[in-house]
Amino acid sequence: MKESATLEFKSDITNTFLKTVSAYSNYGEGRILFGVDDDGRIVGVKDVKQACLDIENKINDSISPRPDYSLDVDADTNVITLLIKEGKHKPYLYKSKAYKRNDTASVEVDYLEFTELVLKGQNLTFDDISSANQNLEFSYLEKKLQETIGIDSLTNDILRTLGLYTSERHYNNAAALLADKNDFRGIDIARFGESISYILDRRTLANISVLSQYDQAVEIYRQYYQYEVIDEIKRKTVENVPERAFREAVANAIVHRKWNVDAHIRIEMYSDRIEIFSPGGLPAGVTVDDYVNGRVSILRNPILGGVFFRMHYIEQFGTGIRRIKEAYQDNSRKPVFDISENVIHVILPVLGHSDLSEDQKKIYELMKMGREISSSMAAQETGFSKSKATTILKDLVAGGYVKVIGKGRGTKYAKK
């Protein structure tokens, strides 16, 4: 038996366990075993009855508001189990501070986390509280609602149905995020060349409706990761990165991020992948395993998520990660989800080209990170004859994998 995020051992009764009581009350059920040392060995408690009284008195005198807990005694081992349940009246404070579990330690929460606990205690979310700006306009929202659900015009009743008013009839933060102009950070998009020092394009989408941010991000994606080819007499779109995976990742970043963090969502575009960074980490109560396996059902910004759902930007709640994975189910390269306390990092690789011959792959791989090559360079680096390298490059161009840059002697080739 070892300590964990939901289990702590105490060989005796000191005030140090009270931080953990605060942590479990704020963020989820946990147990503290008294009479067990740090190595998991049972040492027992000498006076069980007095020990239980001491535990109760310390909790009742030191934790505010009073948490939901129970005590159980094992008569054979004299081990006392203190079970603390997550409370509804957050934050639960010990010496005027709130705590959370960080692996096997109980640590003080920061200001942003404390603010979230206060909102949860009031049964509110950040997108539900009153916006500092009440002078809002919604022309872009109106246009999108006309396109998606066919409204004639945006009325106060529709705004109320979307949940954009507080109970006091003020615009909330969800309304501000959807408004034509706002004071929030947005999405910072950069396209890189051979290295991160070589920026080919950069655009910052901020202080505008998150719907516009989303739509513009998709258009930028299409510019660099989609192209059209003629298949017999039909024109078809080829995707280097699946559009549905990109859409889901960006929508998730917008709906689940912490909007009170003063940072942009970052989208980094490379020749072989797209990386998306969403500020704020996972919502409380969602584990990394829950997230990666597509079991997320807790919306950090439920009002905003509801609007995205109504407008078909996201489908059933909690299925976004599964849909991203499904977009790559037949591809050798898979998306990567890197979760830390403060950031959700999603990597969408460029689809592999399994239909290329081995010789074609050798030349295609020379054009990593936006590198441009000539037929002479291709021949030199692969050992092919120049005529063979030229033929392969022409086939890659015809197949829609490679684009031609320049003319004559200065002709070069690069990935699309």
Side-chain angles (χ1 to χ4, degrees), residues 20-273:
T20 304
V21 174
S22 167
Y24 290 148
S25 298
N26 285 324
Y27 287 103
E29 183 175 294
R31 292 179 299 149
I32 303 174
L33 303 187
F34 296 92
V36 179
D37 68 16
D38 291 341
D39 295 323
R41 291 190 298 262
I42 295 175
V43 296
V45 175
K46 290 183 179 180
D47 187 341
V48 171
K49 185 175 180 180
Q50 184 60 47
C52 287
L53 288 173
D54 289 345
I55 292 169
E56 289 183 2
N57 288 335
K58 287 179 181 295
I59 293 174
N60 296 340
D61 292 344
S62 304
I63 305 293
S64 178
R66 188 180 187 278
D68 184 359
Y69 68 92
S70 61
L71 289 168
D72 182 69
V73 177
D74 186 327
D76 295 327
T77 61
N78 279 6
V79 170
I80 301 171
T81 298
L82 170 62
L83 173 65
I84 306 105
K85 296 183 179 180
E86 183 175 358
K88 297 180 180 179
H89 306 293
K90 303 176 177 72
Y92 291 85
L93 307 179
Y94 170 57
K95 292 186 176 180
S96 302
K97 296 178 180 179
Y99 290 84
K100 66 176 181 178
R101 291 293 277 178
N102 185 2
D103 196 11
T104 60
S106 296
V107 298
E108 184 182 354
V109 302
D110 61 23
Y111 173 76
L112 291 177
E113 290 172 309
F114 186 87
T115 301
E116 286 193 348
L117 286 173
V118 172
L119 291 175
K120 286 182 180 179
Q122 299 172 349
N123 199 28
L124 293 172
T125 54
F126 178 78
D127 61 348
D128 194 27
I129 62 177
S130 181
S131 169
N133 182 5
Q134 293 294 310
N135 185 25
L136 304 177
E137 296 180 355
F138 302 96
S139 60
Y140 198 85
L141 173 61
E142 181 177 55
K143 183 184 79 168
K144 298 305 295 184
L145 288 171
Q146 289 170 339
E147 293 173 358
T148 54
I149 62 176
I151 68 166
D152 294 323
S153 61
L154 186 60
T155 64
N156 287 334
D157 285 341
I158 293 175
L159 290 173
R160 190 179 303 108
T161 299
L162 294 175
L164 304 187
Y165 286 118
T166 67
S167 57
E168 293 80 20
R169 294 300 303 265
H170 298 148
Y171 288 129
N172 56 26
N173 281 330
L177 287 163
L178 292 162
D180 298 331
K181 295 181 180 180
N182 57 55
D183 298 323
F184 291 100
R185 294 291 188 126
I187 303 177
D188 186 28
I189 304 177
R191 186 169 73 95
F192 296 96
E194 295 180 2
S195 71
I196 58 174
S197 300
Y198 187 23
I199 300 178
L200 302 176
D201 187 13
R202 185 163 193 171
R203 306 188 206 176
T204 301
L205 314 173
N207 308 128
I208 59 175
S209 170
V210 290
L211 300 175
S212 179
Q213 293 176 31
Y214 175 88
D215 288 342
Q216 290 185 59
V218 171
E219 287 304 312
I220 294 169
Y221 149 84
R222 288 174 176 169
Q223 181 180 351
Y224 296 120
Y225 293 92
Q226 287 185 356
Y227 56 90
E228 291 188 338
V229 296
I230 303 297
D231 183 8
E232 296 180 349
I233 61 173
K234 294 182 179 179
R235 185 181 298 273
K236 68 175 184 178
T237 299
V238 178
E239 300 174 344
N240 283 337
V241 170
E243 180 172 321
R244 62 175 172 149
F246 180 79
R247 284 179 172 273
E248 290 288 349
V250 175
N252 275 352
I254 291 173
V255 169
H256 290 293
R257 68 156 291 173
K258 283 186 179 180
W259 282 102
N260 51 349
V261 174
D262 190 23
H264 292 299
I265 294 168
R266 285 200 345 261
I267 300 178
E268 298 181 356
M269 295 180 165
Y270 302 89
S271 63
D272 63 344
R273 68 194 187 280

Side-chain angles (χ1 to χ4, degrees), residues 344-396:
I344 296 175
H345 177 198
V346 179
I347 303 174
L348 305 176
V350 165
L351 294 170
H353 298 291
S354 57
D355 53 335
L356 297 181
S357 69
E358 291 302 313
D359 288 345
Q360 288 174 326
K361 288 178 182 177
K362 286 181 181 179
I363 290 183
Y364 188 78
E365 288 303 309
L366 296 177
M367 292 174 272
K368 288 182 177 179
M369 298 297 292
R371 185 187 182 206
E372 299 174 3
I373 65 170
S374 65
S375 56
S376 298
M377 293 166 62
Q380 182 179 357
E381 295 186 35
T382 59
F384 299 154
S385 67
K386 185 174 180 182
S387 61
K388 180 177 180 178
T390 301
T391 299
I392 292 174
L393 284 165
K394 287 181 178 179
D395 290 340
L396 290 171

Side-chain angles (χ1 to χ4, degrees), residues 127 162 174 178 251 254-256 299-315 317:
D127 61 348
L162 294 175
L178 292 162
I254 291 173
V255 169
H256 290 293
L299 281 173
R300 178 174 275 132
N301 303 290
I303 299 172
L304 192 61
V307 174
F308 269 59
F309 175 74
R310 287 173 181 267
M311 299 177 66
H312 313 300
Y313 281 16
I314 58 176
E315 296 201 10
F317 295 140

